[in-house]
Amino acid sequence: VKHCTGTIGPNQTLHTDSPDLPECFQLSVLSWLPCVYLWLACPPYLFYLQRNNKGYIMMSILNRVKTVFGLVLWIVCWTDLFSTFHELRQGDTKPPIYFVTPLVVGMTMLLALFLIQFERLKGVQSSGILFIFWFLSVLCAIVPFRSKILQSEISDKLRFTTFYFYFSLIVAELILSCFNEKPPLFSNIDTDPNPCPQSTAGFLSTMTFWWFTSMAIKGYKNPLEAKDLWSLNKRDSSEVVVPKLLREWEVEQAKAHSAEDQSTQALYSKPPPSSPEEVEVLLSKQKDPKKPSFLRSLIKAFGPYFLIGSAFKLLQDLITFVNPQLLKLLISFTKQKGAPTWWGYALAFLMFFAAFLQTLILHQHFQYCFVTGMRLRTSIIGAIYRKSLIITNAAKRKSTVGEIVNLMSVDAQRFMDLTTFLNMLWSAPLQIILALYFLWQNLGPSVLAGVAVMILLIPLNAAIAVKTRAYQVEQMQYKDARIKLMNEILNGIKVLKLYAWESSFKDKVLEIRQKELNVLRKTAYLGALSTMAWTSAPFLVALTTFAVYVTVDKNNILDAEKAFVSLSLFNILRFPLNMFPQVISSIIQASVSLKRIQDFLSHDELDPESVDRNNTATVSVVNGKFTWAKQDPPALHNINLMVPQGSLLAVVGHVGCGKSSLVSALLGEMEKMEGDISIRGSVAYVPQQAWIQNATLRDNILFGKAYNEQKYRCCLEACALTQDLEVLPGGDLTEIGEKGINLSGGQRQRVSLARALYNEADVYLLDDPLSAVDAHVAKHIFDHVIGPEGALQGKTRILVTHGISFLPQVDNIVVMVEGRVSEMGSYQELLKQNGAFAEFLRNYSLEDIIEEDEALIDDEEDFPDDALSNHTDMVDNEPVVNEAKRQFIRQISIISGDLENPKSRSVRKRLCSERKHAESDPEKKLPKVEKLIQAETAETGRVKSKVFWEYAKAVGPLLSLFICFLYGCQSAAAIGANVWLSQWTNDAAQNVTQENVSMRVGVYAALGMAQGLLVMVSSFTLAMGNIGAARKLHYALLDNKFHTPQSFFDTTPIGRVINRFSKDIYVIDEALPSTVLMFLGTFFSSLSTMIVIVTSTPIFAVVIAPLAFIYIFVQRFYVATSRQLKRLESVSRSPIYSHFSETVTGTSIIRAYGRHNAFVLMSDMKVDENQKSYYPGIVSNRWLGVRIEFIGNCIVLFAALFAVIGKDKLNPGLVGLSVSYALLVTMSLNWMVRMTSDLESNIVAVERVKEYSETKTEAPWEVEDKKPSSDWPSQGNVEFSDYSVRYREGLELVLKNLTLSVKGGEKIGIVGRTGAGKSSMTLCLFRLLEAAGGEITIDGVKISEIGLHDLRSKLTIIPQEPVLFSGSLRMNLDPFEKYSDGEVWKALELSHLNKFVSNQPAKLELECSEGGENLSVGQRQLVCLARALLRKTRILILDEATAAIDLETDDLIQSTIRTQFEDCTVFTIAHRLNTIMDYTRVLVLDKGQIAEFDTPTNLLFRRGIFYGMAKDAGLAQ
């Protein structure tokens, strides 16, 4: 200071009304500050720019102007310097500061000038470093600028003008640095159709996330779609991120390997140990090879970027503690009556500025963390995907597909979640230490009391968390059980309706639901407790601290400064204390995930060199010995094989003799223990189980090759796929479901073959491609593709086969026995040897002759069979039916072609009963009038207020009001406590403290406790209301679904209904209540803040309106955009996993065709596609955060400003109260928007559940006044009079004007071509279809007038497909427990099941698995017979099973029906005529009308339709 003129007097600065800093201070500190900053920031920044070069930017006008201004600034500074020298010459000595400052500033300007140009060359579009420099310069120059204006006489003309020049230039530079430069030349922005504006955003725009605004506006105007999303930044995309991680991981692996090698070498090279102990030590050392650390490679790849975020976090933590200190100054300022007002204003603006800076820095930190998390997820998924394509079979056995998908979804997600909070690991302790330090300064040792309370609350919270966890697990089990049951019910809903069993199953569901709700209720009790702990914690801490502080020492006086500063510090403490345990638990979880991922990535890989590709021989194996896993015994040994170029080799042998293993060995999929394999040229492979991708049929065949129309058509023709294409709804562009769900087994196999054929390889490995297709199709394929005349002639072919008929036509045959080649040679040679091959032939020949014979018959028919096997009426057929399959089946219109060709059928039945599940019964198929499956409506846009009202009604309108009232009371109590605190602190000013202390503490405690209790009561009442609502909504949905007519289930995929019961009910059970709770909490806390500030400074009300307007404006923009982004993100997430599980099952094929890299690219694209919608999602949160917190900061600013303005009327307590409330509000405002958004996306679940609980219902189950008598129907007469029926409104009639009458006890057979309406007759009797005209009467009762249950329980049906439910066998026979055990056993005996059941240890309690999987198909059919025998009503309908059943069971059922149902009316829908030849009468239907109706003999005599059918079946001459 002595280098300047004059001294600094402190009074001159602080206590005058127009303060001024002394000139010396202005010249030294203020001028040097920006310079020091720039010189310090420069070296690291230059280093960074050297590393990250983006290409240079052309000189622009902006750049030129900046440069010129910089030069002028340098000249101005040095003018000052030279003038000082000049004065020195004149003899007027100035203090040294006049030399130093202009020199330093001038040098700095040159540096800035250099930076402007250097950044241009390195492609920086907008510089943060320089922006901050100019900003600081302007800030520091404002003070001298003001004092220069205030100076009355100007002593130094020259310096005065140069300073004005200097000031105006730096302001100009600051303004110019707000603008952006053009993007650098040759950047990838130009090529991108929809680039992310972030890469070109300026410094200010990046700090405030302004660049996101365009998307927010677009999302607000209309819902965002995938095409609106920006492309992913290059640096976040898979192609950059994944290789980065893989490089580091390879380095790690290499290190581990070299360490391992050294240790083993060291062992061998040492001299032999002298004592046994030493051997022990050596061995134990060697046992543990160093594992490569995945964590280290993650840190190396992503650590540096993450550290930038951590640096921001550190800054933010420090700035957090500035505001309480400023608050302290502000309160002490209001106490001093004489203090100048500028001081207060300065404090208010400083508070605002500190808070704003904190906001910006915090969100930058979050941005860095989230982007790191996103990159972690991308890279982990990429690494796992790449690894899964090359792991050995042994490794694949260790981890199932599901587990690997979990690694990708769950474990990668955990890392992503962890990165967000990882910094809390060091930041939380830091914040806690700092807060305690300031508190100690404030209140001394009594702080420890408060801290003790905080520490005591931690175990309480931990205990609650553990218990909640246990409840969640329990509740998940109930939920799974409920969904499983619902799934079965919906799959078997038709059977439930036919048997009238709905109510018993409804009770089962409700019973599980009740248990589930009980657990939810327990969770709610705990939730209420933890909410109370979390809300009251800061209060309890404050209470104990203040109480201890006041009582420890009589001299301790609690004044406003101490109280409110401590309060704001306690509020800062609350967050780290709560977060810390969470961070630790998520670190533990992530470490488990880390280990799992590391183990997976360390698995063995297939040796790409095991097959020699460059040898001269086409295919040869020399002394091969192969195994599936190193520790297993070899699966193939001493294999010697030579396949000449262009020949066809057949591999035959018994099941499990190593035929497929041989093919795998040739592909290099097995571990080679010794020997050599060589294959020359490319390979095409057809596996035993066809692998079909979820893509169009054409893509499946092309498999990445270019499309060539003519070649493609030839392939289809050769593989007999042309007929199938005609049937598929979209021809060869039909989308094939996952695992080829909408193709039959035979079609899948043929597609797989067509793929190989199209791929024109040199060597074809065909692993039993003919097993899944019918005999005549197999013959066609062999002739046209594989055989000597086929499309593949001249290629080298290795065919694994079971079909003997083709063997004579192959060049060579290899016979395999137990993993060895037992014989090899041509067909004739092997027959002569009479060895294993001849025996093999003898075993197989008999069946084959039948097949041959049958193939001849079928040849004329243009193999409809296999072409049609996919139209099986799945709707009734498979118990656990796949939604996609069903949906596909329903799109297919009536299939032409007559399937009833029973002659060839019956012979073959035995052979194919396993092979083909059920022949088609397309009567239930409807002509395609409209698209059957309506698309599910996805809600977009805002949720209607009606839905909120629906939910409030479900909670209970009065209860809803009461809950709001409770929340109001709780806020009132909280405000009350703080107002009381401010009154108490005012005692200090009036010196009336001592007498009142106990009263003050008592009331404060009472108010706080009341608040805690109210919190608990209100959150508990809310939870109860929510659970009540959940119960009502689920009950309504369930009840409606049981009453919904069958047509609804035929047109709605089951998955969609199940989704309502699982996802939507889950949201209503769990997600909604917590969202509502948080929403109400934040809403009322924001409200109370406003109330407090308005009461202490009424003028604040003026500001509320504009701020609220901005708030609502931002909130609407955010909610609209983020909701859509969330939807897009979840939609694009599932393809990643489904593509992955598909890949894992098809790895061998992908490798065989050499498509490895293409699939990696596909996966990367899918991940990037997902991250494209995830990234804007993160940024939208940051964008919102900055804007909302800005509003919060404005509230702080105005609260402080108005406190300063009205400081004479206010007491310090009130100022402290209103400002400390304002400091808290930011948090609640921010959360309130998030919660609004969550609330809107979750309330949709209510809407969806409502929609499905209000669908149209069928007729009532019971009609009281029309109840038939209990013994009805006693005779069993059935009459149809002029009866017509259609499936649904708008479709044509399936039965037209039927009139017939059947006497009691008659046996009627119903026959007709496919689609004639046979099955519809049964549906009419049960009123699954309601009449379109006419009547059915049974024993004089019109069935349309009575209740459905009354009707259905009096008829008995043995349905076509046996449907069993999981549960005991007893429950499956008699769900209502109407019958005694004796009756049940009797029924089992008659249905020939008693032997099977009595052999089971559980007898009648035998657990049936889902769909009766643990019983054979025949046994399931017999269970259905037993059900019928138990009910034994006068009318029995038998819908004969087509193919699922073996002849034996069929005969059993027929004979039982003949004996047991002798006096009943029996309707049989017959597929095989021999069962009904002895019936009373036969009804022949044709196109929904009666064609013939008479006794079988008469009909044969008349030579009509029936005769034709009998002739085809070989029953008539």
Side-chain angles (χ1 to χ4, degrees), residues 513-570:
R513 177 71 180 158
Q514 190 49 52
K515 287 182 190 159
E516 198 182 352
L517 289 174
N518 290 344
V519 177
L520 270 176
R521 184 174 295 117
K522 287 183 201 161
T523 320
Y525 284 115
L526 285 179
L529 260 179
S530 74
T531 316
M532 182 182 88
W534 157 245
T535 321
S536 323
F539 167 77
L540 283 174
V541 173
L543 171 71
T544 40
T545 312
F546 294 152
V548 169
Y549 178 71
V550 184
T551 45
V552 164
D553 186 349
K554 290 276 178 283
N555 307 333
N556 284 351
I557 291 174
L558 190 68
D559 55 5
E561 277 171 81
K562 289 202 170 70
F564 287 106
V565 174
S566 310
L567 265 187
S568 60
L569 284 166
F570 280 131

Side-chain angles (χ1 to χ4, degrees), residues 1173-1369:
S1173 47
Y1174 175 71
Y1175 183 66
I1178 309 172
V1179 179
S1180 70
N1181 286 343
R1182 301 286 74 78
W1183 180 84
L1184 170 81
V1186 171
R1187 296 193 175 25
I1188 296 290
E1189 284 178 32
F1190 181 72
I1191 295 176
N1193 300 338
C1194 287
I1195 292 178
V1196 175
L1197 170 69
F1198 289 120
L1201 268 184
F1202 295 144
V1204 173
I1205 292 172
K1207 94 176 209 304
D1208 305 330
K1209 299 189 282 298
L1210 286 175
N1211 53 35
L1214 272 181
V1215 174
L1217 180 67
S1218 80
V1219 178
S1220 62
Y1221 255 101
L1223 285 173
L1224 256 188
V1225 76
T1226 323
M1227 194 66 179
S1228 356
L1229 286 180
N1230 211 332
W1231 272 105
M1232 198 161 95
V1233 177
R1234 300 273 170 88
M1235 286 303 117
T1236 320
S1237 154
D1238 285 359
L1239 193 59
E1240 287 210 358
S1241 37
N1242 287 338
I1243 202 88
V1244 174
V1246 176
E1247 188 174 23
R1248 289 164 52 108
V1249 167
K1250 270 302 215 208
E1251 175 201 358
Y1252 268 29
S1253 9
E1254 288 162 359
T1255 50
K1256 197 165 103 276
T1257 53
E1258 59 187 359
W1261 284 346
E1262 275 152 13
V1263 180
E1264 281 310 317
D1265 49 353
K1266 293 275 189 183
K1267 250 182 153 27
S1269 59
S1270 53
D1271 60 350
W1272 175 86
S1274 45
Q1275 270 93 39
N1277 300 331
V1278 180
E1279 280 189 40
F1280 284 75
S1281 61
D1282 210 7
Y1283 189 83
S1284 313
V1285 73
R1286 56 168 55 94
Y1287 270 93
R1288 276 195 323 285
E1289 289 304 308
L1291 298 180
E1292 56 206 57
L1293 296 173
V1294 243
L1295 293 178
K1296 304 173 196 132
N1297 312 357
L1298 292 195
T1299 307
L1300 67 141
S1301 77
V1302 176
K1303 302 276 181 298
E1306 279 198 279
K1307 308 284 179 283
I1308 305 290
I1310 304 175
V1311 296
R1313 300 268 183 236
T1314 308
K1318 304 192 294 281
S1319 298
S1320 314
M1321 281 196 59
T1322 52
L1323 299 180
C1324 298
L1325 280 170
F1326 284 89
R1327 281 178 65 199
L1328 280 189
L1329 296 180
E1330 295 287 359
E1335 276 295 350
I1336 302 180
T1337 39
I1338 299 179
D1339 278 0
V1341 177
K1342 291 184 177 174
I1343 65 166
S1344 56
E1345 291 175 358
I1346 56 177
L1348 291 179
H1349 275 188
D1350 292 332
L1351 168 66
R1352 291 171 184 171
S1353 56
K1354 295 301 170 70
L1355 305 176
T1356 310
I1357 185 167
I1358 301 181
Q1360 195 175 16
E1361 291 77 27
V1363 177
L1364 267 64
F1365 298 95
S1366 50
S1368 64
L1369 183 66

Side-chain angles (χ1 to χ4, degrees), residues 265-560:
Q265 278 170 357
L267 250 178
Y268 292 129
S269 56
K270 274 186 189 156
S274 50
S275 68
E277 285 87 359
E278 240 178 86
V279 179
E280 288 281 288
V281 174
L282 275 177
L283 280 176
S284 67
K285 266 188 200 158
Q286 178 211 9
K287 247 179 218 148
D288 189 32
K290 185 166 157 288
K291 277 190 178 163
S293 152
F294 185 58
L295 180 65
R296 199 174 299 135
S297 42
L298 281 179
I299 292 172
K300 277 185 187 164
F302 305 110
Y305 187 78
F306 185 70
L307 280 175
I308 304 177
S310 309
F312 277 121
K313 180 71 178 152
L314 181 66
L315 261 178
Q316 191 253 340
D317 283 355
L318 299 175
I319 299 176
T320 312
F321 290 97
V322 173
N323 265 340
Q325 303 311 314
L326 292 173
L327 177 65
K328 190 177 189 171
L329 291 171
L330 185 69
I331 294 174
S332 68
F333 159 77
T334 46
K335 279 186 188 165
Q336 300 169 351
K337 288 299 167 226
T341 40
W342 68 269
W343 213 40
Y345 291 139
L347 280 174
F349 275 102
L350 266 176
M351 280 180 105
F352 171 71
F353 187 68
F356 186 58
L357 199 61
Q358 188 189 333
T359 294
L360 290 182
I361 290 174
L362 176 69
H363 287 291
Q364 283 305 315
H365 152 248
F366 272 141
Q367 178 69 359
Y368 276 96
C369 291
F370 272 110
V371 171
T372 312
M374 183 173 117
R375 289 179 184 176
L376 273 179
R377 175 167 175 249
T378 301
S379 58
I380 288 173
I381 290 181
I384 290 173
Y385 187 89
R386 285 161 174 75
K387 181 76 182 186
S388 67
L389 280 173
I390 49 177
I391 56 174
T392 57
N393 280 292
K396 214 184 240 178
R397 227 178 282 169
K398 279 185 200 135
S399 35
T400 62
V401 179
E403 278 170 24
I404 308 178
V405 172
N406 262 351
L407 282 182
M408 278 182 131
S409 52
V410 182
D411 296 322
Q413 195 63 42
R414 272 189 193 156
F415 271 96
M416 196 153 143
D417 298 341
L418 179 66
T419 48
T420 340
F421 301 121
L422 191 56
N423 282 317
M424 288 306 283
L425 201 56
W426 56 265
S427 147
L430 174 74
Q431 282 183 334
I432 291 170
I433 290 165
L434 280 173
L436 289 181
Y437 167 72
F438 286 119
L439 278 167
W440 187 281
Q441 271 196 336
N442 221 359
L443 299 174
S446 49
V447 171
L448 296 175
V451 175
V453 173
M454 279 193 170
I455 289 169
L456 284 178
L457 280 174
I458 290 178
L460 171 72
N461 278 334
I464 290 178
V466 169
K467 200 78 186 119
T468 315
R469 200 67 175 279
Y471 282 147
Q472 270 176 334
V473 171
E474 188 183 350
Q475 194 221 338
M476 284 303 290
Q477 288 166 344
Y478 289 135
K479 187 177 136 210
D480 292 346
R482 192 187 85 229
I483 301 304
K484 183 170 166 252
L485 181 61
M486 280 312 304
N487 195 18
E488 285 194 63
I489 288 175
L490 291 172
N491 276 313
I493 188 85
K494 186 168 177 183
V495 174
L496 287 185
K497 286 184 181 305
L498 292 173
Y499 287 134
W501 280 0
E502 293 102 329
S503 41
S504 104
F505 279 84
K506 185 165 143 190
D507 295 341
K508 281 174 77 171
V509 177
L510 289 174
E511 185 188 342
I512 300 179
R513 177 71 180 158
Q514 190 49 52
K515 287 182 190 159
E516 198 182 352
L517 289 174
N518 290 344
V519 177
L520 270 176
R521 184 174 295 117
K522 287 183 201 161
T523 320
Y525 284 115
L526 285 179
L529 260 179
S530 74
T531 316
M532 182 182 88
W534 157 245
T535 321
S536 323
F539 167 77
L540 283 174
V541 173
L543 171 71
T544 40
T545 312
F546 294 152
V548 169
Y549 178 71
V550 184
T551 45
V552 164
D553 186 349
K554 290 276 178 283
N555 307 333
N556 284 351
I557 291 174
L558 190 68
D559 55 5

